[in-house]
Amino acid sequence: MTRTPQHRSGEPDPLRVLTLDRLKRRTSMKWRTYPEDVLPLWVAEMDVPLAEPVVRAVTDALRLGDTGYPAGTAYAEALAAFAAERWGWGGLAVERTAVVPDVMLGVVEMLKLVTGPGDPVVVNPPVYPPFYQFVEHLDRRVVEAPLGADLRIDTEVLEEAFRHAAGAGGRAAYLLCSPHNPTGTVHTATELATVAALAERYGVRVVADEIHAPLVTGGTPFVPYLSVPGAERGLALMSASKGWNLAGLKAALALAGPGAGADLARMPEEVGHGPSHLGVIAHTAALREGTAWLDALLAGLAGNRRLLTGLLAEHLPGVAHLPGEATYLAWLDCRALGLGDDPAETFLNRGRVALSSGIPFGTGGAGHVRLNLATSPEVLAEGVRRMAAALR
Ligand SMILES: Cc1ncc(COP(=O)(O)O)c(C=O)c1O
């Protein structure tokens, strides 16, 4: 990579900074799951250097030996300021937040607060596979309300699932993915208001996973679930983890609407022992000082999304793709290629490119793969070339 275009903020595009040789020295899941000759475009890690303010904050903490237990509300205050500036949402109440170890463990704790063993949890497949794994591990029951063909929430299907879940006895919850992984769908204010109204009508508690909220690259603005009228009893999880590539620096925030503060207050104090103090420091620095880096990233991701559309048209016209407006993930419908339920196997074995299999994403996942766009345009192009080569 010879050229590193700069965003108008003066930040280089983080997706074009690192060479493949350097990335291969990483020891995280993306780089160590498959043999060296496989190009990894699967798990949600980004091929970026960290934002400089994050590096500085964590390095300063290490130099100081500031590696004890987390304390205080700096993370929540940083998120409140970011939410006001970015999404025009001034309603994030720091006193109704709690630091949790990460988003999925936060989801588990929120579900423990509002449901009991055996109770139903509604999800919208195809959806992030751990939604199934964590819910089932918690002894709750997944109820599917599949997205429509337009990859948006189908409110009639959702209502039917709510009716079914609420009618089964016990306490029902809805695990909303907003923006949606794997499709990149950004739910509109109108859709979310409908969700809130249905949830209230059927007595279903909403837990919104908003980890991808900073990663909106299209025209539809992100709307925090708790900002929507009728969502007062909602719970949400937010984190800087996806936006700034901090999954290894564990921390996330649980947020409660005004009608859910008493629920959040019941969360046991020991849950707060899980997050890493360095994680909290990193996430706080990202939200406070990492917005120029984020903007440069989003510009790069938007470029990659356009590039992918062109590459697919040229090399893989049989793949159907409805580009999303958020996340750095692309959901590819490979059913017309005749590769069966799990095309990721063919792409891996014959093309030496690792994509996420669609099958664990639930109903609607078979015949699909998820591709991770958060890499350089060169690597993305090579990935698509390898996919095409697997078909020859
Ligand atoms: C929708 C969604 N939720 C949660 C996570 C995981 O977040 P964490 O590592 O904070 O548990 C991811 C990771 O990709 C995700 O896409």
Side-chain angles (χ1 to χ4, degrees):
M1 271 151 276
T2 48
R3 216 165 44 94
T4 305
Q6 289 200 337
H7 186 253
R8 61 179 181 286
S9 63
E11 285 274 340
D13 175 353
L15 297 167
R16 300 188 190 220
V17 175
L18 301 175
T19 63
L20 205 46
D21 281 346
R22 209 172 150 76
L23 287 162
K24 282 182 175 173
R25 284 167 48 196
R26 290 187 170 174
T27 56
S28 59
M29 190 183 277
K30 184 175 189 185
W31 296 96
R32 289 302 156 102
T33 299
Y34 294 101
E36 253 227 62
D37 67 318
V38 170
L39 193 65
L41 296 180
W42 65 294
V43 69
E45 297 180 14
M46 296 197 279
D47 296 351
V48 293
L50 292 191
E52 205 41 50
V54 174
V55 175
R56 208 180 314 123
V58 174
T59 310
D60 286 353
L62 290 175
R63 291 233 164 78
L64 194 62
D66 186 12
T67 49
Y69 299 106
T73 54
Y75 187 4
E77 281 156 27
L79 179 61
F82 181 86
E85 158 80 25
R86 201 90 180 167
W87 307 314
W89 181 40
L92 195 162
V94 171
E95 65 279 12
R96 287 196 307 273
T97 65
V99 184
V100 290
D102 58 30
V103 166
M104 285 317 297
L105 291 178
V107 163
V108 164
E109 293 302 332
M110 298 306 98
L111 290 175
K112 277 190 198 165
L113 295 175
V114 296
T115 63
D119 284 346
V121 177
V122 177
V123 303
N124 299 125
V127 73
Y128 181 57
F131 277 23
Y132 292 85
Q133 295 151 358
F134 280 77
V135 167
E136 283 161 10
H137 183 61
L138 185 63
D139 289 331
R140 272 43 168 186
R141 198 163 41 81
V142 173
V143 174
E144 293 190 317
L147 297 179
D150 56 358
L151 306 182
R152 308 201 71 85
I153 293 171
D154 182 328
T155 48
E156 279 178 27
V157 169
L158 187 69
E159 177 162 12
E160 189 47 43
F162 281 4
R163 189 180 297 124
H164 170 79
R171 296 178 289 164
Y174 171 42
L175 184 48
L176 168 70
C177 194
S178 179
H180 195 87
N181 172 359
T183 59
T185 310
V186 180
H187 310 302
T188 64
T190 309
E191 287 168 330
L192 293 172
T194 304
V195 163
L198 288 174
E200 279 308 299
R201 187 176 316 153
Y202 292 95
V204 174
R205 298 300 298 273
V206 178
V207 177
D209 173 344
E210 301 183 324
I211 195 170
H212 290 279
L215 290 167
V216 175
T217 56
T220 307
F222 170 73
V223 177
Y225 180 69
L226 297 184
S227 74
V228 166
E232 291 77 13
R233 294 203 313 140
L235 294 158
L237 279 306
M238 285 204 183
S239 173
S241 156
K242 284 301 108 177
W244 286 267
N245 205 38
L246 304 176
L249 286 160
K250 291 256 172 202
L253 279 166
L255 320 176
D263 293 308
L264 188 61
R266 287 189 288 106
M267 195 177 79
E269 187 258 332
E270 59 268 24
V271 175
H273 294 204
S276 140
H277 182 45
L278 285 180
V280 171
I281 288 171
H283 290 223
T284 305
L287 290 162
R288 271 198 194 136
E289 302 170 72
T291 49
W293 183 94
L294 179 67
D295 286 336
L297 171 75
L298 294 179
L301 288 176
N304 275 2
R305 220 176 265 289
R306 285 191 296 274
L307 175 65
L308 178 67
T309 302
L311 289 167
L312 291 175
E314 186 182 342
H315 300 287
L316 286 165
V319 170
H321 173 224
L322 250 184
E325 292 189 301
T327 79
Y328 49 79
L329 307 163
W331 182 240
L332 307 181
D333 179 351
C334 303
R335 285 174 296 180
L337 300 180
L339 300 178
D341 283 349
D342 197 5
E345 273 197 359
T346 305
F347 293 131
L348 176 63
N349 295 331
R350 301 189 42 157
R352 310 308 284 163
V353 54
L355 307 164
S356 301
S357 164
I359 294 171
F361 289 76
T363 294
H368 291 69
V369 296
R370 191 192 71 177
L371 179 148
N372 178 343
L373 287 160
T375 190
S376 66
E378 289 85 350
V379 168
L380 179 59
E382 172 64 13
V384 174
R385 269 194 295 275
R386 288 182 183 215
M387 290 171 72
L391 304 183
R392 290 199 282 270

